[in-house]
Amino acid sequence: MSDNHGNTPAAWTAVTVAMLGFVVGAVGLMLDPISWVILWVGIALGVGAFVLFLVMAKLGYHESTH
């Protein structure tokens, strides 16, 4: 296990974008009728958060020195 416990810029950014994706997706589900476009935008944001984390980790933002 790493010493930083996820307290890195890459982790915080990915979690923030993923939370935004969950909120957008939830709003799409609560609309009447369900807005499939908004739901899929939320899902895309969730997947994008994982990709963003991988890119930022490769750039060195997932190290305890930052």
Side-chain angles (χ1 to χ4, degrees):
M1 170 111 42
S2 84
D3 292 331
N4 55 31
H5 299 287
N7 292 323
T8 63
W12 279 101
T13 304
V15 167
T16 302
V17 173
M19 287 296 295
L20 178 66
F22 278 107
V23 169
V24 169
V27 167
L29 283 174
M30 288 189 297
L31 295 175
D32 188 30
I34 293 174
S35 176
W36 292 102
V37 173
I38 296 176
L39 174 65
W40 282 106
V41 168
I43 292 170
L45 282 170
V47 172
F50 180 67
V51 173
L52 180 65
F53 174 77
L54 292 176
V55 169
M56 289 184 75
K58 288 279 186 185
L59 291 174
Y61 288 106
H62 191 59
E63 297 173 0
S64 61
T65 57
H66 280 93

